[in-house]
Amino acid sequence: MRHKLVVISLDALQTGDLDLLETLPYGSRWLKDAAIARNVHEIYPTLTYPIHTTLVTGVYPETHGIIHNQKASLAPDEPDFSLMGSDWYWEKKNIKVPTLADAVFADGRTVASVNWPVTGGEKRGFNCPEIWPVKSLCEDPREVYKNSASESVFDRYYDRYIAHYNWKNNNDLLTYGGEIAIDLIENEKPDLMLYHAVHLDHIRHVYGDLAPETVDCLKTLDILVERIFEASKRAGTFDETNFVILGDHGQIDIDNIFYINNAFRDAGLIRVNADGKPVSYDAYVFSAGFSAHVYLRDPEDQELTEKVGLILKGLQKAFPQYIERVYTKEEAAEQEHLSGGFSFVLEGTDRTILESQVNNGPYIQPKDERWFKGYGAMHGHHPDKGPKPPFIAFGPDVKKGVRLNGVSMLDLCPTMARLAGVTMEGLVGKPLPFFNEG
């Protein structure tokens, strides 16, 4: 008998968080006998959208095509909302290979997804994508959701859960997803549920990786996860469902911000207007948090490529305390399985953000300056750094009490595909040894 699968992604859940969850009223119950892989080694960069796409495709960003949360731009809209901008890889059409959801659909079964990254425009099943209206474009939230969600979800949930939110404050995104996921599990009983909860990631960004506020957030998530289990019990599907709770990446506290495009401006690679705003470029840096991608006006211009490479090496030599590594696009592809329209990739040193913004300030802004306004912690670093996420499973197909450490993120999709009872082609990894025999 093939069983249902519910995947709950608690964004920025770290292996160290399990110590607290094991003491909480509900986490202490389901962690006791669950199969747990601690310290999952992520892909590069450790950003939510590339990682969540790897989770459901089982391949690296070079293959699935989602190399960043957001699409590169010299001067992105609303960089105050995140370090990068507002033009995100929201739409499923950006993924170049089949997903776990595609495999379940192809098997004639049902899929629900709530706030799962890169699902916009998926009209099959029950899909409430992670998306929001761009404030600077004055987008109509109703039209954004009508165009992006499945009709079944828009008609049932938009007015009930989403319409009343204040989209001038994107924090409201934190709240409605759990309610929709719970309702879908109880009333539609999907064969696959993919639910992405962003609460903990937001708290860590704002307050810092190990701030006291994370404790309250984990207590809230403990209740949320239990409510999902209770919905499955009310639906009568709990005993025939495999459950997965996972994190996607850790976070690292920020000490310094390197405004590296200021250096590009001073090197003549970026031109600005009278207000200091960038208007044209030969090359620019697009932040991925603790790493960054470097884009050229003409990537085929060998002379320009060599010039930018020399400038980057010069910056690394001048600022070794802030720039750890300069990859060429060939090195990024060969060593990190990361390829795209960029020509170079930069990795900052520990606790150094590589910022996209061009301004009139210094290249380096220490976080302890009293006028600093920004995140407390971030990710986007190389997967050899930082706290690592866990992967937790329990259910009728899962062997109780398995304990693993340091597995590859590429092994998680094959594991979830087997838990869902489907076959996927072209996967890089192999299922974890989590399964009951026979």
Side-chain angles (χ1 to χ4, degrees):
M1 175 182 177
R2 292 177 302 175
H3 295 111
K4 297 179 183 294
L5 173 63
V6 171
V7 180
I8 305 169
S9 169
L10 303 180
D11 200 307
L13 181 71
Q14 300 175 173
T15 294
D17 296 329
L18 300 186
D19 293 339
L20 174 61
L21 287 174
E22 287 171 345
T23 70
L24 297 181
Y26 305 115
S28 58
R29 298 179 191 174
W30 49 264
L31 282 170
K32 181 180 179 181
D33 292 328
I36 303 174
R38 306 171 80 91
N39 299 306
V40 175
H41 192 265
E42 313 103 319
I43 50 89
Y44 191 45
T46 52
L47 289 176
T48 298
Y49 280 41
I51 285 175
H52 276 79
T53 309
T54 288
L55 286 171
V56 294
T57 62
V59 297
Y60 288 103
E62 65 181 356
T63 304
H64 63 57
I66 308 301
I67 63 172
H68 197 291
N69 286 353
Q70 299 156 33
K71 298 176 183 179
S73 172
L74 172 63
D77 291 330
E78 301 177 30
D80 57 324
F81 176 65
S82 75
L83 291 172
M84 302 99 183
S86 58
D87 188 11
W88 291 56
Y89 281 102
W90 281 310
E91 297 178 333
K92 183 181 182 293
K93 67 182 182 182
N94 291 302
I95 302 177
K96 298 179 179 178
V97 296
T99 68
L100 177 60
D102 291 326
V104 175
F105 278 128
D107 200 38
R109 299 159 74 200
T110 57
V111 177
S113 51
V114 179
N115 286 354
W116 196 270
V118 204
T119 57
E122 172 60 83
K123 297 294 185 176
R124 297 173 297 177
F126 301 90
N127 178 38
C128 180
E130 180 170 286
I131 194 168
W132 52 87
V134 178
K135 294 187 287 289
S136 63
L137 300 179
C138 299
E139 291 183 323
D140 180 354
R142 180 174 293 274
E143 288 302 309
V144 168
Y145 269 86
K146 187 174 183 179
N147 293 333
S148 301
S150 62
E151 184 176 349
S152 57
V153 161
F154 180 82
D155 291 345
R156 183 184 303 184
Y157 298 118
Y158 185 81
D159 287 322
R160 181 178 171 188
Y161 287 116
I162 302 172
H164 62 281
Y165 283 118
N166 173 17
W167 287 107
K168 294 181 180 179
N169 176 5
N170 292 115
N171 294 345
D172 283 336
L173 180 69
L174 302 176
T175 54
Y176 65 78
E179 302 305 317
I180 295 175
I182 287 166
D183 192 78
L184 284 170
I185 288 171
E186 182 172 357
N187 293 297
E188 297 301 333
K189 306 180 176 112
D191 294 300
L192 172 66
M193 163 60 79
L194 300 172
Y195 169 50
H196 174 224
V198 299
H199 307 54
L200 185 59
D201 184 64
H202 175 74
I203 291 297
R204 287 195 145 115
H205 277 313
V206 173
Y207 298 103
D209 181 45
L210 297 178
E213 289 81 359
T214 62
V215 173
D216 288 339
C217 187
L218 285 165
K219 290 178 179 178
T220 298
L221 292 174
D222 184 48
I223 296 169
L224 175 60
V225 171
E226 178 64 16
R227 290 184 64 211
I228 291 172
F229 297 158
E230 290 298 324
S232 180
K233 291 175 182 177
R234 290 193 300 272
T237 57
F238 184 83
D239 291 337
E240 61 185 76
T241 300
N242 294 308
F243 292 90
V244 164
I245 300 96
L246 56 83
D248 55 346
H249 54 71
Q251 290 205 27
I252 299 173
D253 286 336
I254 300 167
D255 282 347
N256 297 288
I257 296 85
F258 191 164
Y259 288 85
I260 196 164
N261 274 332
N262 286 356
F264 270 36
R265 174 201 58 204
D266 294 346
L269 296 173
I270 295 175
R271 271 79 63 185
V272 299
N273 61 19
D275 296 325
K277 304 297 183 183
V279 293
S280 64
Y281 69 94
D282 292 319
Y284 70 92
V285 175
F286 189 62
S287 174
F290 288 111
S291 62
H293 302 162
V294 181
Y295 288 84
L296 305 189
R297 169 182 44 77
D298 181 4
E300 302 302 319
D301 186 334
Q302 189 61 36
E303 183 177 348
L304 176 60
T305 301
E306 292 175 1
K307 176 183 177 181
V308 173
L310 288 173
I311 290 172
L312 291 172
K313 289 294 186 182
L315 286 170
Q316 184 185 25
K317 184 175 181 180
F319 300 101
Q321 68 273 47
Y322 304 116
I323 302 177
E324 179 178 295
R325 177 73 190 269
V326 178
Y327 293 91
T328 64
K329 64 179 181 180
E330 293 82 9
E331 290 170 336
E334 180 180 353
Q335 299 174 31
E336 309 299 344
H337 302 281
L338 177 66
S339 61
F342 54 78
S343 296
F344 299 91
V345 174
L346 307 180
E347 175 71 19
T349 55
D350 194 35
R351 296 180 175 238
T352 298
I353 288 287
L354 302 179
E355 171 63 89
S356 299
Q357 183 181 354
V358 179
N359 62 29
N360 293 322
Y363 290 1
I364 310 300
Q365 180 179 323
K367 186 188 171 188
D368 59 8
E369 293 283 355
R370 64 180 182 276
W371 40 267
F372 173 79
K373 293 182 180 179
Y375 283 149
M378 189 57 189
H379 45 103
H381 47 274
H382 192 279
D384 285 348
K385 298 177 181 177
K388 301 290 159 211
F391 179 83
I392 305 152
F394 71 90
D397 295 322
V398 181
K399 186 176 181 180
K400 294 181 178 180
V402 176
R403 295 292 184 269
L404 303 175
N405 190 58
V407 304
S408 169
M409 184 160 279
L410 277 298
D411 295 331
L412 304 190
C413 183
T415 304
M416 291 190 290
R418 183 169 171 182
L419 289 171
V422 295
T423 300
M424 297 178 66
E425 302 294 331
L427 303 183
V428 174
K430 295 182 179 180
L432 298 173
F434 273 13
F435 299 89
N436 290 318
E437 298 299 327

